[in-house]
Amino acid sequence: MKKFSLFGLKFMFEVKRSSKNDVELYSTSYALREKIIYLILIMFIIAFSSKIGLLSKNNNYSVGDVVISDIYAPKTIVFNDKSAKEKIIENMIAQSGKEYIYSADAGRIYLETFDEFFDDIYALKNNKDSNVDFKNLEKDTGRRIPDTMVKDLLSLKVPEIMKLQKETRKFLENLYESGIIQEKATIKYRSPFDKKIEKLSNLQRQVVETFAAPNYIYDEDKTKKAIEEKVSQINDQYIEIKAGTLVAKKGEILNERRIKILESCGVYSYKKSLGIMMANLTYLFIISTLFYQIIFNRYKKDILRKSTYRSTVLIIIAFFLTFRFINNDLIYLMPADTALFLLVLLTNTKYGLMMISFMLFFLLPIIDYDLIFLVMNIASMTFGAYLIKKVNTRAALIAVGIQMAVLKVATFGLLSFFSEVETFGAALKSGEIIVSGLVSGMIAIALLPYFEKTFNILTLFKLLELGDLSHPLLKKLSMEAPGTFHHSMMVATLSENAAAAVGANAVFARVASYYHDIGKCKRPQFYVENQQNGENPHNRVSPFMSNLIITSHTKDGAEMAKQYQIPREIRNIMYEHQGTTFLAYFYNKAKALDPTVTKEEFRYSGPKPRSKESAIIMLADSIEAAVRSLDEKTPRAIEEMLRKIINSKIEDNQLSEADLTFKEIEIIIHTFVKSLISIHHVRIKYPGQK
């Protein structure tokens, strides 16, 4: 108990380690949480470790810092050079002409006023009109005519006035032709008149300025729109910096543009580096939370299955370490699809697709949040996950990899077009994607057998190998128990057709049927299908021994299968295909000898079928043997026999643990009838020939 005082108040608190009782510690939920947390920790730690280098001294600079050592681009980047764009805009604005409103009448009106003014000057000079008034001229021009200018003109002789008039009028004509510009309140003369006007006499300049009115008015709105239109046509300036390029030289003082290039290469200031690390932590926590919730609620069975979980852990570790320690320039060349192929083939489509999707999201910090890579892979892997369902050969798996690569290239090309990726770089990456798709399938094929053997997982390819009739165990069955071998082939045909009809795993049902009675190899002569010349060994032993021999074939088969490394799923079928079926024949014989015997002593040890495939094999096994005993194998007789056997199995609760519906049982019955009629069809009797 801890105690302390604060502001006159006493506070007490106690810290205890949380203890879990054995029931909680070993519960399914606790184990599930623990396994999911381990998966999260693996991906979280490897992903976050890629950002630890941000705190390195050589990875932190700011404007004005001196570069400690040469810095080379760690990867090929496309840098958006905003400074270059701004410089282009500045040059464009400087070179762009301004927009003006031209007035053609301004020059004519003011020159006419100029002539009228001098006519009045001549009148005053000759004393023809002593009452000349310049107010009308001032009203027309909007300009005031200075009294000093009039006085100076009148002081000149007439020839001098005429000369001045001629020179100034010529100057005004040229000035109007060149253009007199008004920008806001300022009037400007275009070159060379801006300098020539300075060389005029004071009186000449005064006359010119009085009658020089602007004929080009600056249009600010139109000029802005013209500049904005030109600026909008200037694209961002992208510079591709190849991996290994020297981006900052030792001793160089960093300016703002150089800092931006370094940031594109992953070199930041300490403040920004810490911000980026916190952002990465936040992102990874969000993804981890989503991963935990979805996996915990939807994929409990997959995570709790040891083989699935262990193979998932190994795939995740290999996937993340590969991307963690390669150059980011090579990520498009990496066979990322291999992880998808292995997950889907070793587990199931939904689990594999969900797991690879989260793996890609956890991968983002490592690949510097390359969203093109993420979108491209999620799109192709969603497409590929469902293509794998139809794969039944190794060559088909390679074909799926190539098909996914084609979709990736199309997606990459579309995204690159809008991202303005450099054309040559995009073409190079497209080639890398094709190579990656081709290699992914090959690597998956090469690794799959090791996963199958290490984790004892039954995949489609393993099933196809086990389905080869040249397998040593099947050859043993065909040699030592030929009747049982033929029976197994018939059961396989019935089971495969029925499984396909109800949406179960038809390939598994067929292959498991091949091996379901393998235990009969130990004492083949005790089973009627292998007996010859009418000799029945059961006649020489007690019914108790017969019961023991017959019921032990399920256990014997599983032990033999284990020696030959037959997967657990098929060994389960060996136990389940008889369930807890009652051996009525030997029970009745034993009852006659010992009335105290019970029915439970004459039942198979089980367990009962726990899957659709197992239940279908049980029904096919019972039905195939029974139909052979029919004298007349008509459709009606076969169906009556089927329904009788299946009803007895249902009444005996042999199908109580299998997830079969009554609708599916009806489909199975019709499929069995159709298959058996095809097998036992009526043959044409030919007359004897000499």
Side-chain angles (χ1 to χ4, degrees), residues 494-658:
L494 293 173
S495 300
E496 182 178 24
N497 293 339
V502 296
N505 191 332
V507 177
F508 174 75
R510 172 170 59 83
V511 176
S513 297
Y514 289 163
Y515 293 89
H516 79 286
D517 271 345
I518 206 76
K520 292 182 179 180
C521 287
K522 195 167 185 178
R523 302 176 188 87
Q525 69 277 12
F526 280 88
Y527 302 92
V528 65
E529 66 267 21
N530 298 315
Q531 293 172 4
Q532 298 177 356
N533 303 321
E535 295 182 8
N536 189 347
H538 289 287
N539 295 332
R540 300 193 297 271
V541 297
S542 70
F544 299 98
M545 180 59 70
S546 295
N547 173 62
L548 183 62
I549 292 170
I550 295 297
T551 55
S552 65
H553 87 273
T554 57
K555 183 181 178 182
D556 292 338
E559 289 175 353
M560 290 175 64
K562 197 169 185 179
Q563 292 174 3
Y564 281 84
Q565 296 183 337
I566 302 299
R568 175 179 50 81
E569 290 85 351
I570 293 179
R571 299 202 305 271
N572 289 343
I573 297 295
M574 295 175 183
Y575 283 114
E576 295 174 7
H577 80 278
Q578 291 292 352
T580 57
T581 302
F582 176 56
L583 278 73
Y585 177 77
F586 293 112
Y587 168 76
N588 291 327
K589 287 183 70 175
K591 191 76 172 176
L593 297 175
D594 182 4
T596 61
V597 297
T598 62
K599 288 185 177 182
E600 297 305 316
E601 296 176 50
F602 286 82
R603 284 185 179 275
Y604 281 93
S605 59
K608 297 174 183 178
R610 290 171 289 186
S611 64
K612 287 182 180 180
E613 294 83 4
S614 184
I616 289 169
I617 292 171
M618 167 186 269
L619 297 177
D621 183 46
S622 303
I623 287 162
E624 195 281 327
V627 168
R628 276 191 285 123
S629 66
L630 288 174
D631 295 326
E632 188 179 353
K633 298 179 178 62
T634 61
R636 183 175 180 179
I638 290 173
E639 185 172 349
E640 287 178 355
M641 174 67 78
L642 289 181
R643 291 190 180 278
K644 182 179 178 181
I645 292 171
I646 292 174
N647 286 335
S648 68
K649 294 290 184 185
I650 294 172
E651 290 172 2
D652 196 26
N653 290 323
Q654 295 302 312
L655 303 180
S656 59
E657 295 181 19

Side-chain angles (χ1 to χ4, degrees), residues 345-385:
L345 291 171
L346 293 170
T347 59
N348 59 73
T349 302
K350 290 184 178 179
Y351 173 82
L353 185 58
M354 182 59 66
M355 193 60 66
I356 195 67
S357 298
F358 272 106
M359 286 165 65
L360 288 170
F361 280 108
F362 272 103
L363 187 67
L364 278 180
I366 297 176
I367 61 174
D368 292 332
Y369 295 90
D370 189 336
L371 297 181
I372 293 179
F373 181 86
L374 175 69
V375 174
M376 175 188 73
N377 275 283
I378 287 182
S380 67
M381 288 182 178
T382 304
F383 170 70

Side-chain angles (χ1 to χ4, degrees), residues 268-401:
Y268 306 95
S269 64
Y270 275 109
K271 186 177 180 181
K272 194 161 187 178
S273 294
L274 287 172
I276 291 172
M277 289 190 70
M278 291 304 298
N280 276 279
L281 271 175
T282 304
Y283 169 79
L284 289 172
F285 272 119
I286 292 171
I287 295 299
S288 299
T289 304
L290 290 173
F291 177 82
Y292 181 88
Q293 292 296 330
I294 292 174
I295 299 299
F296 184 84
N297 292 317
R298 296 190 180 183
Y299 299 98
K300 292 180 181 178
K301 292 182 179 178
D302 299 289
I303 294 295
L304 291 173
R305 192 178 296 117
K306 286 184 179 180
S307 58
T308 299
Y309 180 74
R310 289 172 180 174
S311 59
T312 301
V313 170
L314 184 57
I315 291 168
I316 286 175
I317 292 173
F319 181 84
F320 277 88
L321 289 179
T322 301
F323 277 93
R324 175 67 180 84
F325 293 107
I326 64 154
N327 192 299
N328 277 355
D329 279 347
L330 301 176
I331 59 173
Y332 288 86
L333 189 59
M334 297 307 299
D337 296 338
T338 299
L340 173 71
F341 293 155
L342 291 174
L343 283 169
V344 172
L345 291 171
L346 293 170
T347 59
N348 59 73
T349 302
K350 290 184 178 179
Y351 173 82
L353 185 58
M354 182 59 66
M355 193 60 66
I356 195 67
S357 298
F358 272 106
M359 286 165 65
L360 288 170
F361 280 108
F362 272 103
L363 187 67
L364 278 180
I366 297 176
I367 61 174
D368 292 332
Y369 295 90
D370 189 336
L371 297 181
I372 293 179
F373 181 86
L374 175 69
V375 174
M376 175 188 73
N377 275 283
I378 287 182
S380 67
M381 288 182 178
T382 304
F383 170 70
Y386 292 96
L387 285 180
I388 298 173
K389 285 183 177 181
K390 301 177 181 179
V391 168
N392 52 19
T393 64
R394 300 183 189 274
L397 187 62
I398 296 175
V400 170

Side-chain angles (χ1 to χ4, degrees), residues 251-270:
E252 178 184 356
I253 298 176
L254 297 173
N255 56 23
E256 189 174 350
R257 179 176 179 273
R258 188 66 63 179
I259 283 292
K260 288 179 180 178
I261 293 175
L262 290 177
E263 287 181 354
S264 298
C265 296
V267 179
Y268 306 95
S269 64
Y270 275 109

Side-chain angles (χ1 to χ4, degrees), residues 446-462:
L447 294 177
L448 197 58
Y450 296 99
F451 277 90
E452 292 171 343
K453 189 173 182 179
T454 303
F455 302 109
N456 197 21
I457 297 175
L458 185 62
T459 66
L460 173 66
F461 296 116
K462 184 68 174 176

